[in-house]
Amino acid sequence: MTMWYYILTPLLLILLIVVQSTVSGMFFHGFVTLEISLIVVIYAGFHLDLLKGVFLSFVAGFIVDCVGGFIPGASSFVYVLIFLASFFISEFLDTGKRYVIMSFTIVCVLLKEALLLSFYSMTLKTNVFAGNYVAVFAQSLIAGCLAPAVFYVMHRLGEVVYETQP
Amino acid sequence: MFLFRKYKTAILIAAVLMASLSFVFCGLKYGADRIFLKKVVMEIAAPVESALDYSIKSIRDAWLRYIFLVGVQEENKKLKKKIGELEATMNAYREGYLEAQRLRKILAFENESNHTFVCARVIGKELGALSRTLLINRGSSDGLKSGMPVLAPPGLIGRLTDVSWHYSKVLLLIDENSRMDAVVQRNRTQGIISGAGPEGMMLKYVPQTQDVQKGDVVVSSGIGGVFPAGLMVGMVREVERENTGLFLRINVLPFTDLSKLEEVMVLTSAAQEIH
């Protein structure tokens, strides 16, 4: 089962991130991105063990960079940090509450954008979000609203996977 | 080894973070296309993205086509309504044009002749079996009097029989009660034009010896004092020579289609000229 996890996760993440990218382009014309992959990382921080979660967040970040990023590794770094933050903070939070999921997701999206901004500012010496702060806030709110649904889907998916295993 | 086991998690996390940073530095220094894993991911992701993009594009196109069709339907409704309005307008213009044509003909007729006319609009028709009359919108207040000849270019169509203040009745030449003196224009053969209902008119009392042919024009003779001489009455359609009778049976058709009359002219100066 664990082996299948490490084989299938990258493929499913590619599918997820491609869908996320395409749907974002279709509905928002690139103005905002649906941060479903980040919500999955937060879900992993709340529910998976450290090894699987680090793997998932690293791979998810890397694929995000490959599909739409400029500097490969930047999103991986940020996603792993967010996973670790989710993982350790989940000890102190009631992760079953919807408002907790939503507010934590909003904070994580803002944190991710802030980290990426810092990352790009340091490496490229440019402010890549210049004038797009409204979009960042909109993105965080959308992600916050989507998070409970994504959590529910992930939860159901987990149930199906564990029920079908021999 | 002991240290690795004890700090396995921390080492793993540090390794992953270092790997991420190494990708960053490698990408910045040598270019992102040098990273092999990125190529692999792109190779896998591109077909998926292409298929998804194609599917979404197809759905969007279908949706847009549907929206377009709804728009077309709305536009079609509007255009049909517009066509109806334009047809009504065009019909009004066509009617105006035709009326202008008729009035021009009347005006030309009036200018060519030395008579004085009063133009009137036909507001009623009685073309039944018993009588063939018209009702016009001019009466004694317009100077009309009973017995005045009524014309529709190019010829005579009848005379006024009943005149009220604002309306008058015209007895058509094709009415069986109508009589007038007429001559064949070509050879001045005289006869009496009598109404024959649906058959038009008959030129009566023309002896069998007279030369009257199909296509001859019949005009008013001026005898009797009602109609001035020389007004066109009709054209000979048929001439029958009966073995037993004294006279020819001559069928005359009026020049004007009396069922389609809309404007007529009443000859108001005819009486003065005759006298």
Side-chain angles (χ1 to χ4, degrees):
Chain A
M1 187 64 193
T2 308
M3 189 185 71
W4 281 113
Y5 174 83
Y6 292 109
I7 292 171
L8 286 177
T9 299
L11 298 174
L12 290 173
L13 282 171
I14 287 175
L15 188 65
L16 173 73
I17 288 159
V18 168
V19 169
Q20 168 185 300
S21 169
T22 311
V23 172
S24 301
M26 190 175 70
F27 284 108
F28 303 108
H29 304 285
F31 181 67
V32 293
T33 309
L34 294 174
E35 297 283 3
I36 300 169
S37 56
L38 189 71
I39 299 169
V40 171
V41 167
I42 295 165
Y43 179 86
F46 285 178
H47 298 284
L48 292 185
D49 62 57
L50 196 64
L51 193 63
K52 284 181 181 173
V54 166
F55 174 76
L56 181 140
S57 49
F58 177 78
V59 173
F62 187 74
I63 294 167
V64 166
D65 281 333
C66 292
V67 171
F70 181 71
I71 305 171
S75 294
S76 303
F77 187 78
V78 171
Y79 271 40
V80 172
L81 286 183
I82 286 172
F83 166 77
L84 292 172
S86 311
F87 184 81
F88 291 115
I89 290 172
S90 65
E91 296 289 327
F92 309 103
L93 293 174
D94 184 358
T95 56
K97 290 275 191 295
R98 190 174 292 173
Y99 67 89
V100 173
I101 295 167
M102 290 174 76
S103 47
F104 190 76
T105 304
I106 291 170
V107 170
C108 283
V109 172
L110 292 172
L111 181 68
K112 180 208 130 184
E113 298 297 340
L115 286 170
L116 280 178
L117 173 65
S118 320
F119 216 88
Y120 277 85
S121 300
M122 280 190 294
T123 54
L124 299 175
K125 311 289 183 197
T126 54
N127 182 3
V128 289
F129 300 119
N132 286 336
Y133 295 108
V134 176
V136 171
F137 281 106
Q139 193 167 301
S140 64
L141 288 173
I142 292 168
C145 294
L146 281 175
V150 176
F151 267 57
Y152 175 77
V153 172
M154 293 295 290
H155 190 67
R156 294 289 301 163
L157 194 68
E159 279 180 359
V160 170
V161 169
Y162 283 106
E163 276 172 15
T164 51
Q165 69 175 307
Chain B
M1 201 61 182
F2 171 73
L3 276 176
F4 179 77
R5 279 182 191 165
K6 190 177 179 185
Y7 299 108
K8 193 176 88 174
T9 309
I11 291 169
L12 181 77
I13 292 166
V16 169
L17 290 173
M18 287 302 290
S20 303
L21 290 175
S22 68
F23 279 134
V24 173
F25 292 125
C26 186
L28 287 172
K29 192 169 184 181
Y30 302 108
D33 56 337
R34 291 286 184 88
I35 299 169
F36 176 75
L37 273 176
K38 184 170 183 179
K39 291 179 185 175
V40 173
V41 172
M42 282 174 68
E43 284 297 316
I44 298 169
V48 179
E49 196 166 359
S50 173
L52 198 67
D53 195 52
Y54 178 77
S55 310
I56 287 171
K57 196 172 175 240
S58 304
I59 293 166
R60 190 172 51 193
D61 285 351
W63 173 250
L64 288 175
R65 212 170 289 131
Y66 170 72
I67 294 287
F68 176 72
L69 281 177
V70 171
V72 165
Q73 197 179 8
E74 287 294 316
E75 196 179 2
N76 197 23
K77 274 184 191 170
K78 284 180 189 168
L79 287 175
K80 275 184 179 170
K81 194 180 168 191
K82 188 82 182 168
I83 285 171
E85 288 169 4
L86 288 174
E87 274 180 351
T89 309
M90 200 165 164
N91 188 47
Y93 287 142
R94 198 182 293 125
E95 282 295 306
Y97 173 75
L98 293 172
E99 188 178 16
Q101 294 275 60
R102 290 194 304 270
L103 292 174
R104 189 179 292 145
K105 209 185 281 180
I106 288 171
L107 198 64
F109 186 80
E110 193 175 349
N111 289 339
E112 282 169 10
S113 65
N114 296 320
H115 307 298
T116 309
F117 296 97
V118 170
C119 285
R121 190 176 291 279
V122 177
I123 56 171
K125 286 176 188 172
E126 179 65 50
L127 298 174
L130 297 175
S131 69
R132 288 171 174 79
T133 57
L134 300 178
L135 192 66
I136 60 172
N137 66 342
R138 291 280 184 265
S140 56
S141 61
D142 301 295
L144 304 192
K145 288 174 187 166
S146 184
M148 284 181 167
V150 181
L151 295 95
L156 200 59
I157 59 160
R159 61 187 165 89
L160 297 181
T161 48
D162 301 306
V163 179
S164 70
W165 294 287
H166 299 101
Y167 300 98
S168 303
K169 188 176 273 187
V170 181
L171 182 70
L172 295 173
L173 290 179
I174 59 168
D175 189 285
E176 275 85 349
N177 298 311
S178 177
R179 301 275 188 280
M180 69 171 286
D181 207 280
V183 292
V184 176
Q185 194 178 43
R186 183 171 57 84
N187 55 13
R188 316 313 290 177
T189 302
Q190 195 175 345
I192 301 291
I193 279 286
S194 170
E199 289 182 18
M201 296 168 287
M202 302 300 291
L203 184 61
K204 291 181 176 176
Y205 311 118
V206 177
Q208 295 244 22
T209 53
Q210 294 296 322
D211 173 30
V212 180
Q213 294 170 8
K214 185 181 175 183
D216 278 343
V217 174
V218 178
V219 296
S220 58
S221 66
I223 298 171
V226 177
F227 301 105
L231 293 176
M232 293 171 86
V233 175
M235 185 181 282
V236 174
R237 186 177 72 168
E238 194 178 12
V239 181
E240 281 183 36
R241 293 181 188 279
E242 293 172 342
N243 294 330
T244 53
L246 291 172
F247 305 109
L248 292 170
R249 183 180 163 78
I250 304 167
N251 182 220
V252 179
L253 277 185
F255 285 108
T256 314
D257 185 353
L258 300 176
S259 64
K260 291 177 183 171
L261 280 176
E262 289 183 62
E263 291 93 15
V264 294
M265 300 159 71
V266 182
L267 194 64
T268 53
S269 65
Q272 295 166 7
E273 285 186 7
I274 290 161
H275 292 300

